[in-house]
Amino acid sequence: MKWLLLLSLVVLAECTLHKVSLVKKKSLRHNLIKHGQLKDFLKKHSINPASKYFPKEATMLSTEPLENYLDAGYFGTIGIGTPAQDFTVIFDTGSSNLWVPSIYCSSAACENHNRFNPEDSSTYEATSESVSITYGTGSMTGVLGYDTVKVGGISDTNQIFGLSETEPGSFLYYAPFDGILGLAYPSISSSGATPVFDNLWDQGLVSQDLFSVYLSSNDDSGSVVIFGGIDSSYYSGELKWVPVSYEGYWQITVDSITMDGETIACSDGCQAIVDTGTSLLTGPTSAISNIQSDIGASEDSEGLMVVSCSSINSLPDIVFTINGVQYPVTPSAYILQEDGICTSGFEGMDVSTYTGELWILGDVFIRQYYTVFDRANNQVGLAPAA
């Protein structure tokens, strides 16, 4: 009996799920509208979501344009240092680096956010390496250091991360997040920095080489990132697995995209990146323009693609067929309702530098489907969210 009890305890320990609760906040776009700065921002910054994945200049530095987080809405809290200093971050499967503001940063954007102080951490180790993340007309520059990162109840020791020194662009002052925690593959990590999840796995801190994401439609609570496991209570039916087609981003092959049984995009198959750091469903400009027209979306004075709220019940599903399985995205999912205004959850991007057709399956899609990012088998698991 004693041995059975011990065995049960071992099994429970091995199946421990390390969950990070995510909260939904007003987006950077919403905050800029509230402060009357969105128009000025859009004049100064040419927004192209594709630039996150295909930067104009290939360098050893990270080149993830921060404008891509204009509509990001889900954020979690991590701790860095000993004792831990807390930061609100985007858990981003579309990038691989961890960075936060630091006391070395005097930019206005840093003054409105938590800043890491190395002198207050007994476990911090400095390096002489620099990091730069480009966006628009400037870039976040900083240095790399090592410290303990506390995430999901785990103490991730000796984790490399970026400490910002400059964050040009006053728009970041209104960002609802302090920094970014990348969850993509190490091959796209700036300066060869080991991503957080890779460090967790290498240290044996998670029982499975995978993590999963559930994004609740509830604005207040329920969303989670789960490190090292799968929680079946967050989905219905069974997980369907899709091979990763490029081990850098979480990139997969889509068979087709249809509406009312008619192919509207991706007629010969296309590539898609599953990205928690992108809020919307993003695709080639021409295809998105057609979809916006089909759903009756038109641009308002703030640059938002507005849809009549009364039309939601009459709009069709848009179906992504992936690895032979259909994944419908319903109108209630792709039409976003906030403060009595309904906007399209689709956004166009210039992919002229990319050979083929590329889509980004952001939070609009992930809210519909519990998603497992399986590093051990280089595959993505999808099941209808509960």
Side-chain angles (χ1 to χ4, degrees):
M1 193 69 180
K2 183 185 294 184
W3 288 110
L4 286 174
L5 177 60
L6 285 173
L7 181 60
S8 298
L9 290 174
V10 169
V11 170
L12 285 172
E14 290 181 346
C15 295
T16 298
L17 301 179
H18 301 281
K19 298 183 180 181
V20 180
S21 296
L22 302 180
V23 295
K24 198 167 187 293
K25 296 183 179 181
K26 300 293 186 182
S27 67
L28 173 55
R29 185 190 295 271
H30 182 279
N31 291 342
L32 289 173
I33 291 174
K34 180 180 178 181
H35 291 91
Q37 294 198 14
L38 182 62
K39 288 183 180 179
D40 184 57
F41 169 79
L42 293 175
K43 286 180 182 178
K44 294 179 179 179
H45 300 269
S46 177
I47 308 302
N48 180 26
S51 58
K52 179 179 179 181
Y53 315 98
F54 307 104
K56 293 181 180 178
E57 297 181 5
T59 69
M60 288 299 290
L61 303 179
S62 174
T63 49
E64 52 180 79
L66 297 183
E67 288 97 331
N68 284 294
Y69 302 101
L70 192 62
D71 294 291
Y74 293 91
F75 311 97
T77 301
I78 64 170
I80 302 178
T82 307
Q85 301 171 44
D86 288 345
F87 297 91
T88 297
V89 297
I90 300 171
F91 286 84
D92 179 22
T93 58
S95 67
S96 296
N97 289 83
L98 168 63
W99 70 267
V100 295
S102 77
I103 59 166
Y104 306 136
C105 180
S106 58
S107 302
C110 294
E111 294 175 3
N112 196 37
H113 292 89
N114 292 334
R115 291 185 284 180
F116 181 74
N117 186 348
E119 295 181 2
D120 288 343
S121 174
S122 62
T123 46
Y124 178 76
E125 293 182 21
T127 77
S128 58
E129 295 182 78
S130 62
V131 64
S132 175
I133 302 177
T134 65
Y135 63 98
T137 57
S139 63
M140 182 288 285
T141 62
V143 295
L144 293 172
Y146 289 86
D147 212 330
T148 297
V149 174
K150 294 186 177 179
V151 54
I154 311 172
S155 290
D156 170 21
T157 58
N158 202 37
Q159 176 63 53
I160 191 169
F161 68 106
L163 295 77
S164 74
E165 294 180 317
T166 64
E167 292 183 24
S170 59
F171 76 96
L172 280 177
Y173 181 87
Y174 298 107
F177 57 88
D178 300 315
I180 297 167
L181 190 154
L183 291 168
Y185 284 75
S187 60
I188 64 167
S189 179
S190 168
S191 303
T194 303
V196 168
F197 183 74
D198 287 77
N199 214 33
L200 294 178
W201 175 249
D202 291 344
Q203 295 181 58
L205 299 175
V206 289
S207 57
Q208 296 184 69
D209 192 8
L210 58 78
F211 59 93
S212 53
V213 175
Y214 171 78
L215 298 183
S216 171
S217 298
N218 186 321
D219 285 351
D220 299 321
S221 62
S223 302
V224 292
V225 175
I226 303 173
F227 291 103
I230 298 169
D231 189 335
S232 60
S233 68
Y234 288 111
Y235 65 89
S236 59
E238 62 180 34
L239 287 162
K240 302 293 185 180
W241 297 98
V242 186
V244 169
S245 56
Y246 168 67
E247 296 173 20
Y249 301 103
W250 288 94
Q251 186 169 319
I252 59 175
T253 299
V254 176
D255 304 333
S256 65
I257 302 172
T258 59
M259 177 190 293
D260 285 330
E262 298 291 329
T263 300
I264 58 172
C266 193
S267 57
D268 297 317
C270 58
Q271 293 296 294
I273 295 171
V274 187
D275 185 2
T276 58
T278 295
S279 181
L280 308 180
L281 268 168
T282 305
T285 302
S286 58
I288 294 297
S289 294
N290 292 335
I291 291 175
Q292 304 287 36
S293 177
D294 289 341
I295 65 176
S298 58
E299 190 171 348
D300 70 0
S301 59
E302 296 287 356
L304 299 173
M305 296 302 293
V306 178
V307 180
S308 170
C309 294
S310 61
S311 69
I312 295 177
N313 293 333
S314 61
L315 291 173
D317 293 351
I318 294 179
V319 181
F320 291 78
T321 301
I322 304 171
N323 207 25
V325 179
Q326 292 189 340
Y327 296 92
V329 179
T330 63
S332 60
Y334 67 73
I335 302 299
L336 311 177
Q337 301 184 62
E338 187 174 32
D339 297 334
I341 299 174
C342 291
T343 58
S344 169
F346 291 94
E347 183 178 28
M349 63 180 180
D350 178 7
V351 291
S352 57
T353 59
Y354 178 74
T355 302
E357 186 176 343
L358 180 71
W359 287 73
I360 310 302
L361 305 182
D363 295 347
V364 166
F365 183 87
I366 298 170
R367 271 194 295 271
Q368 294 266 279
Y369 297 99
Y370 179 79
T371 307
V372 180
F373 300 87
D374 183 355
R375 282 287 300 278
N377 300 293
N378 293 315
Q379 60 185 358
V380 173
L382 298 169

PDB file of all heavy atoms in Angstrom, residues 227-239:
ATOM      1  N   PHE A 227       2.772  25.387 -19.317  1.00  0.00           N
ATOM      2  CA  PHE A 227       4.097  24.872 -19.657  1.00  0.00           C
ATOM      3  C   PHE A 227       4.220  23.409 -19.241  1.00  0.00           C
ATOM      4  O   PHE A 227       3.942  23.046 -18.105  1.00  0.00           O
ATOM      5  CB  PHE A 227       5.181  25.697 -18.968  1.00  0.00           C
ATOM      6  CG  PHE A 227       5.307  27.093 -19.511  1.00  0.00           C
ATOM      7  CD1 PHE A 227       4.787  28.165 -18.827  1.00  0.00           C
ATOM      8  CD2 PHE A 227       5.925  27.318 -20.727  1.00  0.00           C
ATOM      9  CE1 PHE A 227       4.885  29.458 -19.325  1.00  0.00           C
ATOM     10  CE2 PHE A 227       6.039  28.605 -21.245  1.00  0.00           C
ATOM     11  CZ  PHE A 227       5.517  29.662 -20.546  1.00  0.00           C
ATOM     12  N   GLY A 228       4.628  22.560 -20.199  1.00  0.00           N
ATOM     13  CA  GLY A 228       4.923  21.165 -19.882  1.00  0.00           C
ATOM     14  C   GLY A 228       3.745  20.233 -19.856  1.00  0.00           C
ATOM     15  O   GLY A 228       3.865  19.112 -19.355  1.00  0.00           O
ATOM     16  N   GLY A 229       2.602  20.641 -20.415  1.00  0.00           N
ATOM     17  CA  GLY A 229       1.467  19.730 -20.386  1.00  0.00           C
ATOM     18  C   GLY A 229       0.253  20.214 -21.152  1.00  0.00           C
ATOM     19  O   GLY A 229       0.225  21.307 -21.709  1.00  0.00           O
ATOM     20  N   ILE A 230      -0.749  19.337 -21.168  1.00  0.00           N
ATOM     21  CA  ILE A 230      -2.013  19.583 -21.862  1.00  0.00           C
ATOM     22  C   ILE A 230      -3.138  19.382 -20.862  1.00  0.00           C
ATOM     23  O   ILE A 230      -3.142  18.404 -20.116  1.00  0.00           O
ATOM     24  CB  ILE A 230      -2.185  18.596 -23.038  1.00  0.00           C
ATOM     25  CG1 ILE A 230      -1.059  18.790 -24.068  1.00  0.00           C
ATOM     26  CG2 ILE A 230      -3.549  18.752 -23.696  1.00  0.00           C
ATOM     27  CD1 ILE A 230      -0.998  17.696 -25.122  1.00  0.00           C
ATOM     28  N   ASP A 231      -4.084  20.292 -20.830  1.00  0.00           N
ATOM     29  CA  ASP A 231      -5.226  20.185 -19.913  1.00  0.00           C
ATOM     30  C   ASP A 231      -6.489  19.996 -20.753  1.00  0.00           C
ATOM     31  O   ASP A 231      -6.962  20.921 -21.408  1.00  0.00           O
ATOM     32  CB  ASP A 231      -5.337  21.451 -19.061  1.00  0.00           C
ATOM     33  CG  ASP A 231      -6.366  21.307 -17.941  1.00  0.00           C
ATOM     34  OD1 ASP A 231      -7.295  20.478 -18.089  1.00  0.00           O
ATOM     35  OD2 ASP A 231      -6.267  22.037 -16.938  1.00  0.00           O
ATOM     36  N   SER A 232      -7.040  18.786 -20.726  1.00  0.00           N
ATOM     37  CA  SER A 232      -8.189  18.447 -21.567  1.00  0.00           C
ATOM     38  C   SER A 232      -9.462  19.191 -21.175  1.00  0.00           C
ATOM     39  O   SER A 232     -10.436  19.198 -21.939  1.00  0.00           O
ATOM     40  CB  SER A 232      -8.440  16.932 -21.531  1.00  0.00           C
ATOM     41  OG  SER A 232      -8.712  16.506 -20.198  1.00  0.00           O
ATOM     42  N   SER A 233      -9.473  19.823 -19.997  1.00  0.00           N
ATOM     43  CA  SER A 233     -10.668  20.563 -19.591  1.00  0.00           C
ATOM     44  C   SER A 233     -10.858  21.833 -20.417  1.00  0.00           C
ATOM     45  O   SER A 233     -11.924  22.446 -20.387  1.00  0.00           O
ATOM     46  CB  SER A 233     -10.590  20.924 -18.101  1.00  0.00           C
ATOM     47  OG  SER A 233      -9.563  21.872 -17.846  1.00  0.00           O
ATOM     48  N   TYR A 234      -9.824  22.220 -21.155  1.00  0.00           N
ATOM     49  CA  TYR A 234      -9.901  23.446 -21.948  1.00  0.00           C
ATOM     50  C   TYR A 234     -10.373  23.212 -23.377  1.00  0.00           C
ATOM     51  O   TYR A 234     -10.467  24.159 -24.161  1.00  0.00           O
ATOM     52  CB  TYR A 234      -8.542  24.153 -21.976  1.00  0.00           C
ATOM     53  CG  TYR A 234      -8.172  24.792 -20.665  1.00  0.00           C
ATOM     54  CD1 TYR A 234      -7.127  24.292 -19.895  1.00  0.00           C
ATOM     55  CD2 TYR A 234      -8.862  25.906 -20.180  1.00  0.00           C
ATOM     56  CE1 TYR A 234      -6.775  24.875 -18.687  1.00  0.00           C
ATOM     57  CE2 TYR A 234      -8.524  26.496 -18.977  1.00  0.00           C
ATOM     58  CZ  TYR A 234      -7.480  25.975 -18.236  1.00  0.00           C
ATOM     59  OH  TYR A 234      -7.137  26.557 -17.036  1.00  0.00           O
ATOM     60  N   TYR A 235     -10.633  21.961 -23.750  1.00  0.00           N
ATOM     61  CA  TYR A 235     -11.091  21.720 -25.111  1.00  0.00           C
ATOM     62  C   TYR A 235     -12.093  20.576 -25.161  1.00  0.00           C
ATOM     63  O   TYR A 235     -12.235  19.811 -24.205  1.00  0.00           O
ATOM     64  CB  TYR A 235      -9.915  21.447 -26.050  1.00  0.00           C
ATOM     65  CG  TYR A 235      -9.135  20.172 -25.772  1.00  0.00           C
ATOM     66  CD1 TYR A 235      -9.498  18.949 -26.344  1.00  0.00           C
ATOM     67  CD2 TYR A 235      -7.993  20.196 -24.954  1.00  0.00           C
ATOM     68  CE1 TYR A 235      -8.775  17.793 -26.101  1.00  0.00           C
ATOM     69  CE2 TYR A 235      -7.269  19.040 -24.713  1.00  0.00           C
ATOM     70  CZ  TYR A 235      -7.654  17.847 -25.289  1.00  0.00           C
ATOM     71  OH  TYR A 235      -6.941  16.699 -25.046  1.00  0.00           O
ATOM     72  N   SER A 236     -12.802  20.498 -26.272  1.00  0.00           N
ATOM     73  CA  SER A 236     -13.748  19.400 -26.498  1.00  0.00           C
ATOM     74  C   SER A 236     -13.259  18.556 -27.676  1.00  0.00           C
ATOM     75  O   SER A 236     -12.434  19.001 -28.477  1.00  0.00           O
ATOM     76  CB  SER A 236     -15.144  19.961 -26.802  1.00  0.00           C
ATOM     77  OG  SER A 236     -15.114  20.794 -27.953  1.00  0.00           O
ATOM     78  N   GLY A 237     -13.772  17.342 -27.771  1.00  0.00           N
ATOM     79  CA  GLY A 237     -13.335  16.461 -28.848  1.00  0.00           C
ATOM     80  C   GLY A 237     -11.905  15.996 -28.625  1.00  0.00           C
ATOM     81  O   GLY A 237     -11.464  15.829 -27.485  1.00  0.00           O
ATOM     82  N   GLU A 238     -11.172  15.820 -29.713  1.00  0.00           N
ATOM     83  CA  GLU A 238      -9.788  15.360 -29.597  1.00  0.00           C
ATOM     84  C   GLU A 238      -8.854  16.282 -30.365  1.00  0.00           C
ATOM     85  O   GLU A 238      -9.254  16.965 -31.312  1.00  0.00           O
ATOM     86  CB  GLU A 238      -9.645  13.936 -30.112  1.00  0.00           C
ATOM     87  CG  GLU A 238      -9.976  13.757 -31.588  1.00  0.00           C
ATOM     88  CD  GLU A 238      -9.823  12.319 -32.049  1.00  0.00           C
ATOM     89  OE1 GLU A 238     -10.093  11.406 -31.249  1.00  0.00           O
ATOM     90  OE2 GLU A 238      -9.412  12.116 -33.202  1.00  0.00           O
ATOM     91  N   LEU A 239      -7.609  16.309 -29.923  1.00  0.00           N
ATOM     92  CA  LEU A 239      -6.607  17.131 -30.585  1.00  0.00           C
ATOM     93  C   LEU A 239      -6.263  16.543 -31.947  1.00  0.00           C
ATOM     94  O   LEU A 239      -6.087  15.332 -32.093  1.00  0.00           O
ATOM     95  CB  LEU A 239      -5.341  17.211 -29.731  1.00  0.00           C
ATOM     96  CG  LEU A 239      -5.420  18.085 -28.477  1.00  0.00           C
ATOM     97  CD1 LEU A 239      -4.285  17.724 -27.524  1.00  0.00           C
ATOM     98  CD2 LEU A 239      -5.349  19.565 -28.854  1.00  0.00           C
TER      99      LEU A 239
END
